[in-house]
Short mmCIF file of all heavy atoms in Angstrom, two decimals:
data_model
loop_
_atom_site.label_atom_id
_atom_site.label_comp_id
_atom_site.label_asym_id
_atom_site.label_seq_id
_atom_site.Cartn_x
_atom_site.Cartn_y
_atom_site.Cartn_z
N GLY A 1 -37.03 21.52 -35.76
CA GLY A 1 -36.95 22.45 -34.70
C GLY A 1 -36.01 22.27 -33.65
O GLY A 1 -35.90 22.97 -32.64
N TYR A 2 -35.06 21.22 -33.81
CA TYR A 2 -34.19 20.79 -32.72
C TYR A 2 -33.03 21.85 -32.65
O TYR A 2 -32.61 22.27 -31.54
CB TYR A 2 -33.66 19.42 -33.00
CG TYR A 2 -32.75 18.84 -32.08
CD1 TYR A 2 -32.95 18.81 -30.72
CD2 TYR A 2 -31.48 18.32 -32.40
CE1 TYR A 2 -32.23 18.25 -29.74
CE2 TYR A 2 -30.56 17.75 -31.45
CZ TYR A 2 -31.01 17.71 -30.11
OH TYR A 2 -30.18 17.21 -29.13
N VAL A 3 -32.47 22.18 -33.78
CA VAL A 3 -31.36 23.18 -33.77
C VAL A 3 -31.76 24.32 -34.73
O VAL A 3 -31.60 24.15 -35.93
CB VAL A 3 -29.99 22.55 -34.15
CG1 VAL A 3 -29.00 23.63 -34.12
CG2 VAL A 3 -29.64 21.46 -33.27
N LEU A 4 -32.19 25.41 -34.14
CA LEU A 4 -32.53 26.57 -34.96
C LEU A 4 -31.85 27.77 -34.30
O LEU A 4 -32.32 28.40 -33.39
CB LEU A 4 -34.03 26.92 -34.94
CG LEU A 4 -34.84 26.06 -35.94
CD1 LEU A 4 -36.32 26.48 -35.80
CD2 LEU A 4 -34.41 26.31 -37.39
N PRO A 5 -30.66 28.18 -34.88
CA PRO A 5 -29.93 29.27 -34.25
C PRO A 5 -30.72 30.57 -34.32
O PRO A 5 -31.65 30.79 -35.16
CB PRO A 5 -28.64 29.41 -35.19
CG PRO A 5 -28.55 28.00 -35.79
CD PRO A 5 -29.94 27.54 -35.98
N ALA A 6 -30.47 31.47 -33.33
CA ALA A 6 -31.17 32.68 -33.23
C ALA A 6 -31.07 33.47 -34.51
O ALA A 6 -32.07 34.19 -35.00
CB ALA A 6 -30.65 33.51 -32.07
N ARG A 7 -29.93 33.45 -35.24
CA ARG A 7 -29.74 34.29 -36.43
C ARG A 7 -30.67 33.74 -37.49
O ARG A 7 -31.18 34.41 -38.34
CB ARG A 7 -28.33 34.16 -36.88
CG ARG A 7 -27.79 32.81 -37.15
CD ARG A 7 -26.31 32.75 -37.56
NE ARG A 7 -25.76 31.40 -37.65
CZ ARG A 7 -25.99 30.58 -38.66
NH1 ARG A 7 -26.67 31.00 -39.66
NH2 ARG A 7 -25.46 29.40 -38.78
N ILE A 8 -30.95 32.31 -37.59
CA ILE A 8 -31.83 31.78 -38.56
C ILE A 8 -33.27 32.18 -38.22
O ILE A 8 -34.03 32.55 -39.17
CB ILE A 8 -31.71 30.32 -38.66
CG1 ILE A 8 -30.28 29.95 -39.15
CG2 ILE A 8 -32.77 29.70 -39.50
CD1 ILE A 8 -30.05 30.39 -40.66
N ILE A 9 -33.63 32.15 -36.99
CA ILE A 9 -34.96 32.49 -36.53
C ILE A 9 -35.27 33.92 -36.88
O ILE A 9 -36.26 34.33 -37.41
CB ILE A 9 -35.15 32.26 -35.02
CG1 ILE A 9 -35.19 30.78 -34.75
CG2 ILE A 9 -36.46 32.94 -34.48
CD1 ILE A 9 -35.20 30.38 -33.22
N GLN A 10 -34.27 34.80 -36.67
CA GLN A 10 -34.41 36.21 -36.97
C GLN A 10 -34.59 36.44 -38.47
O GLN A 10 -35.31 37.27 -38.97
CB GLN A 10 -33.22 37.01 -36.40
CG GLN A 10 -33.41 38.53 -36.49
CD GLN A 10 -34.78 38.97 -35.76
OE1 GLN A 10 -34.93 38.69 -34.59
NE2 GLN A 10 -35.64 39.73 -36.48
N LEU A 11 -33.72 35.74 -39.22
CA LEU A 11 -33.78 35.80 -40.70
C LEU A 11 -35.15 35.46 -41.23
O LEU A 11 -35.80 36.15 -42.08
CB LEU A 11 -32.73 34.91 -41.36
CG LEU A 11 -32.78 34.74 -42.83
CD1 LEU A 11 -32.58 36.12 -43.52
CD2 LEU A 11 -31.77 33.72 -43.37
N ILE A 12 -35.71 34.38 -40.69
CA ILE A 12 -37.07 33.94 -41.08
C ILE A 12 -38.02 35.05 -40.82
O ILE A 12 -38.95 35.35 -41.62
CB ILE A 12 -37.44 32.66 -40.44
CG1 ILE A 12 -36.57 31.49 -40.88
CG2 ILE A 12 -38.93 32.31 -40.56
CD1 ILE A 12 -36.68 30.14 -39.97
N ALA A 13 -37.98 35.67 -39.66
CA ALA A 13 -38.90 36.68 -39.33
C ALA A 13 -38.71 37.86 -40.21
O ALA A 13 -39.72 38.58 -40.62
CB ALA A 13 -38.65 37.15 -37.81
N ASP A 14 -37.46 38.30 -40.54
CA ASP A 14 -37.19 39.40 -41.36
C ASP A 14 -37.69 39.25 -42.76
O ASP A 14 -38.16 40.19 -43.39
CB ASP A 14 -35.68 39.73 -41.35
CG ASP A 14 -35.19 40.22 -40.05
OD1 ASP A 14 -35.98 40.69 -39.19
OD2 ASP A 14 -33.91 40.16 -39.81
N LEU A 15 -37.55 37.95 -43.27
CA LEU A 15 -38.03 37.74 -44.71
C LEU A 15 -39.56 38.00 -44.87
O LEU A 15 -39.97 38.47 -45.97
CB LEU A 15 -37.63 36.30 -45.08
CG LEU A 15 -36.05 36.07 -45.29
CD1 LEU A 15 -35.87 34.61 -45.48
CD2 LEU A 15 -35.53 36.92 -46.37
N GLY A 16 -40.27 37.61 -43.92
CA GLY A 16 -41.80 37.99 -43.95
C GLY A 16 -42.69 37.03 -44.69
O GLY A 16 -43.89 37.08 -44.40
N ASN A 17 -42.19 36.24 -45.59
CA ASN A 17 -43.07 35.27 -46.30
C ASN A 17 -42.68 33.85 -46.15
O ASN A 17 -43.08 33.03 -46.97
CB ASN A 17 -43.11 35.73 -47.80
CG ASN A 17 -41.79 35.46 -48.48
OD1 ASN A 17 -40.66 35.51 -47.86
ND2 ASN A 17 -41.79 35.28 -49.80
N VAL A 18 -42.02 33.57 -44.97
CA VAL A 18 -41.63 32.20 -44.67
C VAL A 18 -42.33 31.78 -43.52
O VAL A 18 -42.35 32.40 -42.46
CB VAL A 18 -40.12 32.08 -44.43
CG1 VAL A 18 -39.73 30.64 -44.09
CG2 VAL A 18 -39.35 32.60 -45.71
N SER A 19 -43.14 30.71 -43.60
CA SER A 19 -43.76 30.07 -42.45
C SER A 19 -43.00 28.75 -42.09
O SER A 19 -42.16 28.27 -42.92
CB SER A 19 -45.26 29.72 -42.78
OG SER A 19 -45.42 28.87 -43.80
N VAL A 20 -43.29 28.18 -40.98
CA VAL A 20 -42.47 27.14 -40.54
C VAL A 20 -43.40 25.98 -40.03
O VAL A 20 -44.27 26.23 -39.26
CB VAL A 20 -41.55 27.51 -39.37
CG1 VAL A 20 -40.73 26.34 -38.79
CG2 VAL A 20 -40.61 28.66 -39.77
N GLN A 21 -43.06 24.74 -40.37
CA GLN A 21 -43.81 23.51 -39.83
C GLN A 21 -42.79 22.71 -39.18
O GLN A 21 -41.72 22.32 -39.68
CB GLN A 21 -44.41 22.73 -40.96
CG GLN A 21 -45.17 21.48 -40.44
CD GLN A 21 -46.16 20.88 -41.35
OE1 GLN A 21 -46.97 21.62 -41.87
NE2 GLN A 21 -46.11 19.53 -41.51
N ILE A 22 -43.13 22.37 -37.92
CA ILE A 22 -42.29 21.68 -36.98
C ILE A 22 -43.00 20.32 -36.53
O ILE A 22 -44.14 20.40 -36.26
CB ILE A 22 -41.84 22.56 -35.74
CG1 ILE A 22 -41.02 23.69 -36.25
CG2 ILE A 22 -41.13 21.75 -34.74
CD1 ILE A 22 -40.65 24.64 -35.20
N SER A 23 -42.24 19.32 -36.41
CA SER A 23 -42.83 18.04 -35.99
C SER A 23 -42.57 17.86 -34.42
O SER A 23 -41.48 18.01 -34.01
CB SER A 23 -42.12 16.88 -36.71
OG SER A 23 -42.25 16.99 -38.06
N VAL A 24 -43.71 17.59 -33.76
CA VAL A 24 -43.59 17.26 -32.31
C VAL A 24 -44.42 15.95 -32.12
O VAL A 24 -45.49 15.90 -32.54
CB VAL A 24 -44.16 18.30 -31.46
CG1 VAL A 24 -44.04 17.99 -30.00
CG2 VAL A 24 -43.44 19.70 -31.69
N ASP A 25 -43.77 15.00 -31.51
CA ASP A 25 -44.27 13.60 -31.58
C ASP A 25 -44.90 13.18 -30.25
O ASP A 25 -45.01 12.04 -29.93
CB ASP A 25 -43.25 12.67 -31.97
CG ASP A 25 -42.85 12.84 -33.40
OD1 ASP A 25 -43.68 13.16 -34.26
OD2 ASP A 25 -41.53 12.79 -33.69
N GLY A 26 -45.28 14.14 -29.39
CA GLY A 26 -45.89 13.91 -28.12
C GLY A 26 -45.31 14.78 -27.06
O GLY A 26 -44.57 15.73 -27.37
N MET A 27 -45.64 14.53 -25.77
CA MET A 27 -45.09 15.33 -24.73
C MET A 27 -43.58 14.95 -24.46
O MET A 27 -43.03 14.07 -25.16
CB MET A 27 -45.90 15.16 -23.45
CG MET A 27 -47.31 15.76 -23.62
SD MET A 27 -47.39 17.51 -24.09
CE MET A 27 -46.79 18.29 -22.58
N GLU A 28 -42.99 15.48 -23.50
CA GLU A 28 -41.53 15.47 -23.42
C GLU A 28 -40.89 14.11 -23.42
O GLU A 28 -40.00 13.88 -24.27
CB GLU A 28 -40.99 16.19 -22.12
CG GLU A 28 -39.58 16.28 -22.03
CD GLU A 28 -39.13 17.30 -20.92
OE1 GLU A 28 -40.06 17.73 -20.17
OE2 GLU A 28 -37.92 17.56 -20.80
N GLU A 29 -41.29 13.14 -22.67
CA GLU A 29 -40.68 11.82 -22.55
C GLU A 29 -40.87 11.09 -23.89
O GLU A 29 -39.95 10.53 -24.44
CB GLU A 29 -41.26 11.01 -21.47
CG GLU A 29 -40.49 9.71 -21.17
CD GLU A 29 -41.04 8.58 -22.09
OE1 GLU A 29 -42.20 8.56 -22.48
OE2 GLU A 29 -40.14 7.72 -22.39
N THR A 30 -42.08 11.15 -24.46
CA THR A 30 -42.42 10.46 -25.67
C THR A 30 -41.61 11.07 -26.87
O THR A 30 -41.04 10.36 -27.65
CB THR A 30 -43.88 10.54 -26.03
OG1 THR A 30 -44.66 9.98 -24.93
CG2 THR A 30 -44.22 9.90 -27.34
N HIS A 31 -41.67 12.38 -26.92
CA HIS A 31 -40.81 13.07 -28.06
C HIS A 31 -39.45 12.84 -27.96
O HIS A 31 -38.81 12.46 -29.10
CB HIS A 31 -41.13 14.58 -27.95
CG HIS A 31 -40.51 15.35 -29.05
ND1 HIS A 31 -40.98 15.52 -30.35
CD2 HIS A 31 -39.29 16.11 -29.06
CE1 HIS A 31 -40.20 16.25 -31.11
NE2 HIS A 31 -39.16 16.59 -30.29
N ASN A 32 -38.81 12.89 -26.80
CA ASN A 32 -37.37 12.64 -26.75
C ASN A 32 -37.01 11.21 -27.08
O ASN A 32 -35.98 10.91 -27.76
CB ASN A 32 -36.88 13.00 -25.31
CG ASN A 32 -36.93 14.38 -24.96
OD1 ASN A 32 -37.04 15.25 -25.88
ND2 ASN A 32 -36.84 14.75 -23.68
#
C-alpha cells in the first residue's frame, strides 16, 4: 500500500471483483 497510483486504485474499483489486502505493522513510528 506504499505506492498505489490513483489510476490503479480507480482500476481496482472499476473491475469490481478485486479485493485488497494491505500490511500495516503498527502505528506511525513503528510502521515506518
Side-chain angles (χ1 to χ4, degrees):
Y2 183 54
V3 179
L4 279 180
R7 57 183 175 79
I8 295 297
I9 291 176
Q10 189 58 54
L11 173 62
I12 293 170
D14 291 341
L15 291 174
N17 64 337
V18 179
S19 59
V20 179
Q21 178 161 313
I22 294 177
S23 301
V24 180
D25 295 319
M27 295 303 291
E28 186 166 6
E29 189 276 331
T30 301
H31 180 82
N32 289 347

